Amino acid sequence: TVTLNNTSGLSGKPASLFVREAKKFSCRITVTLEEKTANGKSVSSLSSLGASKGDSVEILAEGEDSARALEAVTKLVEGGLGEE
């Protein structure tokens, strides 16, 4: 579970950056906000969560390279998803 600290949350450019990073891995990546779950490799799916600054999301990775994928996307989110 990580908290979104960037201005735009998981929409627009930050969602695109998340998906670009997630697609580097073969495992399945999901992002959950409250009762809604999104495919971490789909910009439209991530955007549909409506996750904004201050929200805590749960990121799950399942598959062969899941540990590396989880580390990479978590680091990206904690780093502000490309926003200062």
Side-chain angles (χ1 to χ4, degrees):
T1 302
V2 294
T3 301
L4 300 172
N5 57 18
N6 63 310
T7 306
S8 303
L10 278 177
S11 63
K13 184 179 177 185
S16 295
L17 288 172
F18 187 99
V19 169
R20 187 177 312 139
E21 188 67 26
K23 285 185 173 182
K24 293 178 183 177
F25 304 94
S26 63
C27 65
R28 180 172 181 245
I29 298 174
T30 57
V31 180
T32 302
L33 174 65
E34 298 169 0
E35 291 84 40
K36 294 189 264 181
T37 299
N39 177 351
K41 295 183 178 182
S42 166
V43 173
S44 61
S45 184
L46 279 179
S47 295
S48 74
L49 287 177
S52 54
K53 182 176 183 172
D55 286 341
S56 290
V57 295
E58 181 180 29
I59 303 170
L60 294 175
E62 300 172 284
E64 186 178 319
D65 51 2
S66 59
R68 289 183 322 130
L70 189 57
E71 182 180 335
V73 295
T74 299
K75 183 177 178 181
L76 183 65
V77 171
E78 290 174 342
L81 289 159
E83 294 182 356
E84 305 242 349

